[in-house]
Amino acid sequence: MSISLDTGVRFSLEIDGVATTAPAGATILDVCRAVGVDTPTLCYLETLTPVNVCRVCVVELEGARTLVPACSRVVEDGMKIRTDSERVRASRRMVLEFLASSVDVSLADDMQRQMKRYGAKPERFGAEARTVRQPVKVDNELYVRDYSKCILCYKCVEACGSDAQNTFAIATAGRGFDAHISTEFNVGLPDSACVYCGNCIGVCPTGALMFVSEHEMREAGTWDEARQTKTDTICGYCGVGCTLTVHAQDNEIVKVSSPADHDVTHGHLCIKGRFGWKFVGVKKRRSDG
Amino acid sequence: MFGAGGGTNSYQEVEDTDCIFLWGSNARETHPIFFHRVLKAVRRGAKLFVVDPRKTVTAQWADSWLAINVGADIALANAMANEIIRLGLEHREFIANATTGFEAYRACVQSYTPERAESITGIPAETIRAAARAFASSERAVICWTLGITEHHNATDNVLALINLALLTGHVGRYGSGLNPLRGQNNVQGGGDMGAIPDRLPGFQALSDDAARTKFDKAWGVTIPPERGWRLNEMFDAAERGELRTLYIVGENPAVSEADRHRAEAILKSLNHLVVQDITLTRTAEMAHVVLPASTGWCESEGTVTNSERRVQRVRKAVDPPGNARDDIDIVCDVARRLGHDLGSPTAQQLWDELRTLSPMHAGMSYARLEALDGLRWPCYDENHPGEQFLHARLWENPVRGPRAPFNVVEFEAPVDEITHEFPLLLTTGRRLDSFNSGVQTGQYTSPLRRGESLDLCPQDALRFGVRDGERVRVRSRRGSVEVPVRIDDTVRPGLAFMTFHFDVQTNMLTIEANDPKSGTAEFKATAVRIDKLEVGAATAGE
Amino acid sequence: MDLHHLTDEPTAEERAAVDALLGPYLENGVSGREARSQRHLLLPALHAVADRVGWVSRGALGYICRRLTVPPADAFGVVSFYDLLSTEPLPPLTVRICDDVACMAAGCDALIGDVEKRFGPEGASNSGAAWLRSPCLGLCEQAPAALLTSAGVKPRVAALAPAALASIEAALANSAEAALGNSAGIDVDEPCSLPQAGEPQLRLLRRIGRGDPLDLDAYRGAGGYGALSRAFDLGPDGVIREILASKLIGRGGAAFPTGRKWEAVAREPEHPHYVVCNADESEPGTFKDRVLMEEDPFAVIEAMTIAAFAVGSEQGYIYIRGEYGRARERIVAAIAAARAAGLLGADVMKRGLRFDIEVRRGAGAYICGEETALFNSIEGFRGEPRNKPPFPVRKGLFGKPTVVNNVETLVNVLDIVTNGGATYAAIGTPDAAGTKLFCVSGHVAQPGLYEVTFGTTLRALLDRAGGVRGGAALQAVLVGGAAGAFVLPDELDAPLTFAGMREVKAALGSGVVIVFDQSVDLAAIVRRIARFFRHESCGQCVPCRIGTVRQEESLDRLALAHGAGVDDEMRLLHEIGQVMRDASICGLGQTASSAVESALAKLPVFGAGRSA
């Protein structure tokens, strides 16, 4: 969510002993980023309302009984914040270990980096630790849902819901460890409200939600990001002017996304922009050419 | 609008406004990402009014759905003006300072009482009154429209009726207030910007303006004739008369997309020489004498497009075009060379930079700035100019700089294709979320949402015509007929049917080439049809 | 909204149940924001269907969604959040048998064994009835407890306590007969256990046990509504001054000064303001609010009305836990009576105050006792707590300034307003003013609800309850419930104050005192507590969602571990506890390790005190 930071008021605060200032309305995370403090986040995304559920961004705020989430705690004058105390490190490490011990995070690149940074050892909860392992859901031609990889960051629910698409095809169902992302009565996507905008996939940080095209290439072992180019261009359909990032591998489009920081899309697209590129590579064009 | 043809507001303003009219626009399906902005506004508290004959998914979000009879838009707009004036909610200061022709307008709308409009539009008078009050009394208000306004024989009058409403209430030239056509294709706006209009040079400079023409003459080393050219519909008319014998079509599929398809095909077939430059072998290309395979604009070539908020944006080459397909610029320059004109081998950027020297409103838009700023909105006069967020702020200066904005008296006229006992249903057309126009591009991906073409009827009409959901029927207009399955759909109302033109069913066999004299757009939105059952001995409406 | 609805149709019964709540279905009803504003009726509508047919089918959920303009996926998320609502077929009759801490001490395992033998496995339908395990039902003083729910035209939620196989069989038979119209229905005697009834020093409990709690005239005759009358004389500022002066502290467990809450809401410029009574009492071992609502409902209503007057609110909500059938019935009846007597409504006591109260019913979720989860539940969302700040006094129910008080806290308000804050502050100790209700259960001679002055020692309270049953030796006392801590026999002289309990590394919480004699397997009790939190975690934040699972797994391993393995598990448990305490969103996660850590530190069964 963009917060209007322009009230003119600036607060003085201290981060890891260094004095700094921040505009009223900024979050601790905003300040951390502004001063270059690497703060891990999983459920946070600039374009979505902070749900502060993953708790990996917690910091120590002087005078507070518990740690506070940097992503959603708004700064106040005189705050003294520690982002690298043993208490903070322990919490972050545990959160990463909790997740990695329950969820397949093999495709969550940023999380892997943070796990290394905090020395997370998810295996210490034992081989019998409960996980969310389950079969992959393939029920339509465009999406694959592999909830074994879901860390329940709520981003897809927010993108499908009131933060962007307002389609509400998915929500969190169940409770506690059984909480999961689901359609109504767990019906397949074709029976649900899904309009295949792909915005849930666009915000998924762990690869739990994936385009069929990518999933199939990964299964076949041909997906190779090192060989891919990413080119920003404008969608060829309606006149809204959405920026598309075209991911191409060996001169073939393999995926389309949109930059989260783009003013027109905020990273969101519709089914046409997201999937309507197949014609570019169809044989008919080749042979006639 | 008042000079340059473009929406007056940025998308951000739509998010920040207090009252939104989506008029003849099913933005939820046709401009989904723009509709995200509308939803943000709605969630913030803005009121949403949707004017549409169908209870579209867009209308389902509305605080008030104005279920209008097809083609009755002017009656509605004038009745809203009538109510606004009756309540004294017109912006007198703005009218006095920035407009002309108010008295004639007032006299015209006097007869459009909400009660009279109810009988024309089918919208209850009270609903019209409430909409008028909300529009006039909101601090900020925008009207956005799409083809529901422009695909009519009186399209320009429809637009003028909306402009009148904005002038009446001062809802133009301010942040969050204005008039915005949502463009149906990714570069409709850019085509206009570049002068692909019969009476305009790039940058909306009038062809009739000697100084402007001389500037281009000098730059291009030619003498540009001062007479306006033909619109597409005029070209077709000329071809029919035998005056136009050669046609070079770039990236259009008129064989499918033109109204009254029988006629369009006949005209294309009658040409001496038809050249089609396109990215795939379209139906039109199949009829061509020469086909020039082109690269895809948005991913196989470099250049710019302009979106519905006047933002010029860069398109970039992500993949090489297949086989012999070539960039449009290269093809055009090669054709020119064969015709004896060496235009060189300019890059897209070189062409753009030339444009910047000729079109003042684009002058400040260097490629570097377009890249760095994610595009710029015109007008952008120099490299320090941020680009205008909204247009016509000058109308709020006192005295007004430049010409005042005129009210235009416009009267309601019914659609051309008459509903009769023989053709008792009104067929309107539109798009679906997952498909685009004639389906050349979108037909190539598998959409779980796609159900193919259908004739959408409300349950009452299905009963009336004795047809079942899924039953194939023949839909017949005064011009042609097509076979299509029926779909029972309660978003259409009694007397109204709906089809798209995304699929193999040739919907435009039915539609009428009744063109707006000012814009040349055909009345795709209103065709009188009837339903013929296919089974022998069917109960109703035989041959 | 362009909602995509399920195609399943509701049955005539389901439709009738929903229509009875929402009125007849109109094809072209409301639209736009008006349509979207009905979501707060979601939980009542789900209850209406479950009350009628026992569970929520696709057809029923779809119909509710169409009626209320709620996305089906969202509604499914809501219905699947609550224990008392099922999206799987359930027979119209169910018996929920408590297997929580206090009932364990009362031998619920044996009862469950008997029930299983008689009726088959948990959840299986047996001639129109099924039994289920349940967390604490709030009937701890009459343990072991069970709860009977019967769906139908006249739905009923009734307590069976103390429960035995015979009484369960009888109640089921009786209910089945009632469903067939052959009898008037179940009539279960629900005695309330007030060993102090009638004692002269009682303040909060002084009206209880003295006649019909629903007799408004009797309530007024005993001084009822005198406090509201006095509040009108004091004016809103005056009332808040008295509450501040009284040093009243919230009794729900968080111990926040009530006057400061009221003052903050009264000052908020944004309106409307709401008054919410948190009657979602679900902390295992707690039953005080149930007794207050059942036995003194007008006191709760009068106190809410005073709060509304003080903070400028026209609408109050009382959110009563779903398991409390009788409390709800009585509160509903008392509200109706108060309304009829002009004590609620457009002009309360003809003093110009407009205020009314709506009763909302929980559906089986401990977390909804957390104030912001409670708001979400009322608003028709999943009962997931919100991040704080902003606090409810600024952004509470429906995003508006809200006073939320526990039932017991509110009842204290009456005496404060009547006698003045200073008088109240003089009772108890300097850091803890007034009296406090304690829910004493487990192995004591006289379990029940006790009111004592702050500062009374735990030993004195236990003595008042007759000491350990049968004169047996005390093993430990669980103070504060599942979120609380163990107190050992040598710590009984600690005074029952916030500070006094801190001294023995415990907390008063909601006033739970569960007494265990030597017969109890405390390790099993601790594992039950861990299971409780795992089951009740809303699942929103990682530390709690996964931490409660890992904590339970670790305790299970610990039970089998020896040597170095024990130390490893203990270390792991401490780490798990720390991240839950430090990084969870709400109090549930932050206290989910309290009892476990207390047990590890104190209980001999975990090796504590062996030798340091």
Side-chain angles (χ1 to χ4, degrees):
Chain A
M1 286 284 101
S2 66
I3 306 160
S4 175
L5 304 175
D6 204 18
T7 58
V9 183
R10 285 191 85 84
F11 292 140
S12 299
L13 60 159
E14 214 180 276
I15 295 208
D16 297 330
V18 179
T20 182
T21 67
T27 61
I28 293 175
L29 182 64
D30 293 334
V31 184
C32 285
R33 290 187 171 174
V35 301
V37 172
D38 180 10
T39 307
T41 60
L42 292 170
C43 67
Y44 176 80
L45 198 65
E46 290 78 354
T47 51
L48 304 173
T49 311
V51 287
N52 53 74
V53 299
C54 78
R55 315 304 280 186
V56 79
C57 71
V58 287
V59 296
E60 198 168 346
L61 171 65
E62 196 177 286
R65 184 172 47 88
T66 61
L67 302 178
V68 303
C71 67
S72 52
R73 185 60 179 265
V74 175
V75 294
E76 291 159 41
D77 203 36
M79 274 184 166
K80 289 201 170 84
I81 294 153
R82 306 227 56 108
T83 72
D84 206 35
S85 64
E86 189 39 48
R87 201 171 155 209
V88 169
R89 294 184 62 84
S91 254
R92 290 180 177 178
R93 189 186 69 245
M94 285 297 283
V95 162
L96 293 166
E97 287 177 344
F98 279 168
L99 285 172
S101 65
S102 343
V103 183
D104 170 5
V105 295
S106 55
L107 298 183
D109 294 343
D110 192 54
M111 197 172 148
Q112 298 285 348
R113 184 175 70 85
Q114 296 295 353
M115 284 174 63
K116 228 169 260 156
R117 176 181 172 196
Y118 288 102
K121 294 190 184 66
E123 60 281 1
R124 65 201 187 102
F125 298 110
E128 302 298 311
R130 250 182 97 183
T131 70
V132 297
R133 192 170 307 133
Q134 58 191 288
V136 181
K137 288 187 193 319
V138 188
D139 54 20
N140 68 88
E141 297 89 343
L142 301 178
Y143 290 11
V144 175
R145 295 178 293 153
D146 181 1
Y147 288 121
S148 298
K149 296 193 177 76
C150 176
I151 58 169
L152 215 63
C153 69
Y154 287 57
K155 282 177 179 170
C156 57
V157 175
E158 290 205 293
C160 187
S162 52
D163 272 350
Q165 183 57 31
N166 282 276
T167 288
F168 305 98
I170 47 172
T172 315
R175 199 171 75 191
F177 196 81
D178 298 325
H180 61 287
I181 307 298
S182 180
T183 59
E184 59 273 21
F185 293 95
N186 202 19
V187 299
L189 286 188
D191 293 321
S192 78
C194 179
V195 292
Y196 305 92
C197 61
N199 293 329
C200 55
I201 300 177
V203 296
C204 179
T206 60
L209 304 176
M210 199 177 271
F211 302 109
V212 163
S213 50
E214 178 176 344
H215 178 74
E216 285 175 350
M217 286 179 74
R218 283 184 186 273
E219 292 286 292
T222 55
W223 183 263
D224 184 359
E225 284 182 17
R227 269 157 57 208
Q228 289 173 13
T229 55
K230 290 187 198 172
T231 311
D232 281 0
T233 185
I234 303 299
C235 179
Y237 292 110
C238 80
V240 174
C242 296
T243 296
L244 306 182
T245 302
V246 176
H247 303 240
Q249 181 176 322
D250 303 334
N251 203 39
E252 296 274 358
I253 300 176
V254 292
K255 177 161 109 175
V256 162
S257 62
S258 184
D261 61 356
H262 192 261
D263 188 43
V264 172
T265 66
H266 298 115
H268 306 304
L269 296 171
C270 76
I271 183 172
K272 295 186 290 289
R274 194 76 78 171
F275 298 104
W277 45 266
K278 286 273 163 66
F279 75 92
V280 174
V282 294
K283 293 227 161 55
K284 191 170 165 200
R285 285 192 70 210
R286 311 268 141 159
S287 55
D288 287 351
Chain B
M1 246 156 283
F2 331 134
T8 66
N9 301 96
S10 61
Y11 298 157
Q12 184 60 47
E13 292 167 76
V14 173
E15 203 175 312
D16 294 338
T17 193
D18 304 313
C19 179
I20 301 172
F21 271 76
L22 290 177
W23 202 310
S25 163
N26 181 15
R28 177 64 151 162
E29 287 193 85
T30 59
H31 299 88
I33 302 305
F34 169 79
F35 197 69
H36 285 185
R37 304 303 185 102
V38 174
L39 289 169
K40 284 218 162 87
V42 165
R43 297 229 168 253
R44 225 197 65 250
K47 291 199 184 73
L48 176 63
F49 294 83
V50 175
V51 183
D52 203 299
R54 294 187 297 142
K55 191 166 189 177
T56 59
V57 285
T58 309
Q60 288 167 34
W61 274 97
D63 292 295
S64 177
W65 167 45
L66 290 87
I68 194 169
N69 291 333
V70 173
D73 305 271
I74 290 174
L76 171 61
N78 284 359
M80 283 175 61
N82 176 296
E83 174 71 2
I84 289 166
I85 293 169
R86 188 183 71 82
L87 295 172
L89 292 174
E90 75 274 21
H91 199 304
R92 289 184 195 144
E93 207 185 312
F94 179 81
I95 292 168
N97 185 52
T99 71
T100 60
F102 176 62
E103 283 312 318
Y105 176 63
R106 193 220 307 258
C108 160
V109 301
Q110 206 148 35
S111 67
Y112 287 88
T113 61
E115 284 70 23
R116 181 182 163 215
E118 175 174 336
S119 68
I120 301 170
T121 61
I123 306 166
E126 225 8 84
T127 307
I128 298 175
R129 287 205 168 90
R133 280 194 299 271
F135 180 70
S137 57
S138 290
E139 170 67 25
R140 298 166 173 176
V142 295
I143 302 176
C144 305
W145 68 88
T146 314
L147 302 177
I149 279 292
T150 49
E151 285 186 349
H152 284 288
H153 76 280
N154 52 349
T156 306
D157 285 356
N158 280 345
V159 174
L160 290 172
L162 303 185
I163 293 175
N164 289 340
L165 275 180
L167 294 178
L168 181 67
T169 50
H171 280 316
V172 69
R174 291 188 292 126
Y175 185 91
S177 275
L179 293 150
N180 297 284
L182 304 174
R183 305 305 192 182
Q185 294 166 33
N186 84 329
N187 204 24
V188 166
Q189 184 67 53
D193 293 3
M194 295 305 106
I197 305 175
D199 59 352
R200 297 278 158 169
L201 291 159
F204 297 100
Q205 298 169 85
L207 192 63
S208 55
D209 177 344
D210 292 341
R213 225 175 40 251
T214 310
K215 181 171 66 176
F216 281 92
D217 287 352
K218 214 181 274 174
W220 290 346
V222 292
T223 306
I224 300 169
E227 301 83 29
R228 69 182 280 279
W230 281 327
R231 298 181 182 284
L232 178 56
N233 63 310
E234 291 166 333
M235 293 181 201
F236 272 52
D237 291 347
E240 203 167 39
R241 292 194 303 270
E243 282 175 44
L244 182 144
R245 303 311 308 150
T246 297
L247 196 55
Y248 181 175
I249 296 176
V250 182
E252 277 271 347
N253 189 12
V256 175
S257 60
E258 280 302 283
D260 194 351
R261 210 179 132 171
H262 273 311
R263 174 175 177 260
E265 283 200 0
I267 290 169
L268 290 171
K269 273 187 197 142
S270 75
L271 293 167
N272 289 354
H273 192 54
L274 175 62
V275 181
V276 173
Q277 179 171 322
D278 211 317
I279 57 172
T280 74
L281 195 67
T282 62
R283 174 79 193 114
T284 309
E286 281 171 3
M287 300 167 71
H289 300 96
V290 178
V291 176
L292 301 167
S295 55
T296 306
W298 62 272
C299 64
E300 292 170 349
S301 55
E302 299 287 331
T304 62
V305 292
T306 312
N307 74 359
S308 298
E309 59 168 356
R310 295 170 281 109
R311 188 197 293 249
V312 176
Q313 300 167 288
R314 283 276 282 114
V315 292
R316 296 179 183 82
K317 182 173 170 174
V319 290
D320 293 324
N324 296 327
R326 298 173 63 197
D327 195 289
D328 288 322
I329 297 173
D330 296 343
I331 297 173
V332 168
C333 290
D334 244 16
V335 169
R337 200 169 292 122
R338 304 264 182 110
L339 293 171
H341 298 274
D342 187 1
L343 305 180
S345 306
T347 63
Q349 184 172 358
Q350 285 165 338
L351 289 175
W352 180 254
D353 284 337
E354 181 201 79
L355 171 88
R356 290 172 57 212
T357 65
L358 295 168
S359 169
M361 63 190 267
H362 295 105
M365 298 178 175
S366 65
Y367 261 37
R369 289 190 80 205
L370 291 176
E371 312 246 350
L373 301 171
D374 274 341
L376 278 161
R377 283 183 211 91
W378 60 250
C380 174
Y381 299 109
D382 60 61
E383 293 208 27
N384 295 313
H385 194 289
E388 260 349 314
Q389 180 153 38
F390 57 92
L391 300 181
H392 312 310
R394 65 172 185 87
L395 294 176
W396 290 91
E397 291 172 17
N398 194 355
V400 162
R401 200 160 30 89
R404 295 199 202 184
F407 280 98
N408 286 278
V409 171
V410 288
E411 302 277 359
F412 162 72
E413 281 174 46
V416 173
D417 214 19
E418 238 184 304
I419 301 297
T420 59
H421 183 69
E422 195 188 354
F423 295 100
L425 260 180
L426 193 142
L427 172 72
T428 194
T429 59
R431 291 178 186 165
R432 295 206 196 281
L433 173 64
D434 61 350
S435 298
F436 187 74
N437 288 5
S438 60
V440 167
Q441 299 169 61
T442 48
Q444 299 297 330
Y445 82 100
T446 315
S447 161
L449 301 174
R450 200 168 291 149
R451 286 167 301 197
E453 190 60 270
S454 59
L455 178 77
D456 294 0
L457 289 178
C458 68
Q460 297 94 311
D461 279 340
L463 208 63
R464 177 177 160 207
F465 298 107
V467 293
R468 295 180 322 272
D469 193 56
E471 175 179 344
R472 288 191 73 82
V473 296
R474 181 152 291 279
V475 183
R476 196 177 290 279
S477 80
R478 296 187 173 95
R479 288 153 297 279
S481 74
V482 297
E483 223 183 274
V484 66
V486 166
R487 197 175 68 180
I488 311 276
D489 186 326
D490 48 20
T491 65
V492 285
R493 295 176 299 144
L496 185 70
F498 177 80
M499 286 177 72
T500 76
F501 52 106
H502 298 316
F503 306 104
D504 286 341
V505 174
Q506 310 302 347
T507 307
N508 283 327
M509 290 288 184
L510 305 172
T511 51
I512 182 167
E513 179 75 10
N515 291 305
D516 175 37
K518 295 168 198 163
S519 68
T521 316
E523 194 152 64
F524 290 99
K525 294 296 185 193
T527 306
V529 297
R530 73 162 188 259
I531 298 173
D532 292 346
K533 282 184 77 89
L534 291 178
E535 290 96 329
V536 183
T540 52
E543 279 296 301
Chain C
M1 290 166 80
D2 54 339
L3 294 181
H4 178 280
H5 287 293
L6 293 157
T7 51
D8 311 68
E9 290 293 326
T11 65
E13 255 190 313
E14 291 164 341
R15 186 188 296 268
V18 175
D19 289 352
L21 177 76
L22 302 177
Y25 183 51
L26 304 171
E27 189 61 51
N28 276 318
V30 291
S31 62
R33 71 196 64 245
E34 206 185 327
R36 294 193 297 274
S37 70
Q38 306 172 93
R39 180 152 183 169
H40 67 105
L41 293 170
L42 178 57
L43 191 50
L46 293 168
H47 271 310
V49 166
D51 278 351
R52 183 68 68 96
V53 299
W55 64 292
V56 182
S57 70
R58 284 189 187 208
L61 190 77
Y63 185 61
I64 290 170
C65 288
R66 279 196 292 275
R67 292 295 315 264
L68 298 178
T69 315
V70 173
D74 266 29
F76 181 73
V78 170
V79 69
S80 63
F81 189 84
Y82 295 102
D83 276 353
L84 297 182
L85 297 172
S86 173
T87 54
E88 298 294 328
L90 265 187
L93 279 179
T94 58
V95 181
R96 289 181 159 79
I97 304 173
C98 177
D99 66 355
D100 218 318
V101 177
C103 286
M104 279 173 82
C108 66
D109 288 347
L111 172 64
I112 287 172
D114 291 346
V115 167
E116 195 159 18
K117 240 176 269 162
R118 168 69 180 75
F119 293 101
E122 183 184 7
S125 179
N126 183 308
S127 50
W131 74 273
L132 302 160
R133 286 172 180 270
S134 171
C136 180
L137 292 166
L139 297 159
C140 322
E141 83 279 22
Q142 303 157 70
L147 188 77
L148 184 79
T149 58
S150 78
V153 180
K154 286 188 174 165
R156 184 81 202 271
V157 178
L160 294 172
L165 181 61
S167 62
I168 289 172
E169 281 178 321
L172 286 179
N174 197 353
S175 296
E177 287 296 300
L180 294 170
N182 296 340
S183 82
I186 42 175
D187 186 22
V188 184
D189 185 30
E190 296 181 26
C192 81
S193 311
L194 283 170
Q196 292 169 299
E199 289 182 13
Q201 84 286 359
L202 294 179
R203 295 169 183 278
L204 297 168
L205 300 180
R206 70 167 177 271
R207 282 176 294 270
I208 294 181
R210 302 194 161 184
D212 178 5
L214 286 174
D215 182 343
L216 179 55
D217 291 335
Y219 177 74
R220 299 189 76 165
Y225 278 97
L228 180 59
S229 187
R230 169 105 179 102
F232 284 134
D233 295 341
L234 288 170
D237 292 347
V239 171
I240 291 173
R241 259 198 309 277
E242 295 301 333
I243 305 293
L244 284 167
S246 74
K247 299 186 181 165
L248 175 64
I249 277 172
R251 305 292 197 243
F256 190 82
T258 305
R260 278 177 44 205
K261 236 185 230 183
W262 289 24
E263 188 181 33
V265 172
R267 282 183 184 164
E268 275 297 320
E270 197 181 349
H271 280 267
H273 293 176
Y274 292 106
V275 169
V276 174
C277 173
N278 184 347
D280 191 48
E281 174 176 77
S282 314
E283 183 65 46
T286 317
F287 49 86
K288 62 190 179 70
D289 294 343
R290 172 179 58 80
V291 173
L292 288 175
M293 287 187 287
E294 287 176 349
E295 304 299 331
D296 204 4
F298 289 111
V300 181
I301 293 164
E302 183 185 358
M304 283 181 73
T305 312
I306 293 170
F309 174 67
V311 306
S313 165
E314 295 187 348
Q315 182 63 54
Y317 288 86
I318 176 163
Y319 186 97
I320 304 175
R321 91 175 277 211
E323 291 86 343
Y324 283 179
R326 187 159 71 169
R328 189 175 68 251
E329 283 164 22
R330 293 204 175 155
I331 288 283
V332 166
I335 286 174
R339 209 178 276 141
L343 298 168
L344 285 174
D347 189 6
V348 175
M349 290 179 100
K350 298 208 163 40
R351 299 291 294 263
L353 173 71
R354 173 187 287 273
F355 181 65
D356 214 325
I357 299 173
E358 218 177 287
V359 175
R360 290 306 176 97
R361 168 181 170 195
Y366 170 71
I367 188 60
C368 289
E370 198 283 336
E371 54 194 14
T372 58
L374 186 153
F375 300 152
N376 277 342
S377 183
I378 291 180
E379 291 178 27
F381 293 88
R382 293 161 57 79
E384 293 174 353
R386 304 172 184 169
N387 200 52
K388 292 187 276 194
F391 291 98
V393 293
R394 278 199 55 229
K395 288 197 182 301
L397 186 62
F398 300 111
K400 303 296 177 190
T402 302
V403 158
V404 48
N405 286 134
N406 161 268
V407 174
E408 181 190 351
T409 313
L410 282 166
V411 173
N412 274 287
V413 163
L414 301 178
D415 275 6
I416 294 170
V417 171
T418 304
N419 305 324
T423 310
Y424 184 92
I427 307 164
T429 69
D431 85 316
T435 58
K436 174 81 191 88
L437 298 181
F438 286 96
C439 312
V440 182
S441 66
H443 296 135
V444 286
Q446 271 193 299
L449 185 60
Y450 291 85
E451 178 179 2
V452 297
T453 309
F454 271 115
T456 306
T457 63
L458 182 53
R459 187 185 304 282
L461 175 63
L462 296 191
D463 287 349
R464 178 62 192 81
V468 178
R469 198 174 56 194
L474 176 69
Q475 186 177 187
V477 181
L478 181 63
V479 176
F486 291 93
V487 174
L488 300 180
D490 61 1
E491 296 171 327
L492 295 184
D493 291 320
L496 291 166
T497 60
F498 301 102
M501 283 297 106
R502 261 198 304 276
E503 285 292 305
V504 292
K505 297 194 164 53
L508 285 182
S510 53
V512 173
V513 173
I514 306 178
V515 175
F516 302 106
D517 67 16
Q518 298 289 349
S519 70
V520 173
D521 175 0
L522 286 183
I525 295 284
V526 171
R527 285 199 302 277
R528 178 64 187 92
I529 290 172
R531 177 154 69 87
F532 174 81
F533 282 109
R534 189 257 298 152
H535 177 74
E536 296 296 344
S537 168
C538 78
Q540 188 184 198
C541 72
V542 173
C544 177
R545 176 175 80 239
I546 305 176
T548 53
V549 171
R550 296 289 176 257
Q551 174 173 269
E552 189 189 10
E553 288 171 347
S554 182
L555 281 169
D556 288 346
R557 284 195 301 268
L558 184 63
L560 306 170
H562 40 74
V566 171
D567 294 340
D568 287 348
E569 289 302 342
M570 299 274 245
R571 218 174 5 254
L572 194 60
L573 280 166
H574 287 309
E575 283 188 56
I576 293 168
Q578 192 190 331
V579 68
M580 287 200 286
R581 205 163 46 245
D582 269 354
S584 295
I585 289 178
C586 79
L588 188 155
Q590 288 162 13
T591 58
S593 64
S594 300
V596 173
E597 297 224 46
S598 164
L600 297 187
K602 285 186 170 183
L603 298 183
V605 64
F606 292 104
R610 252 185 319 205
S611 66

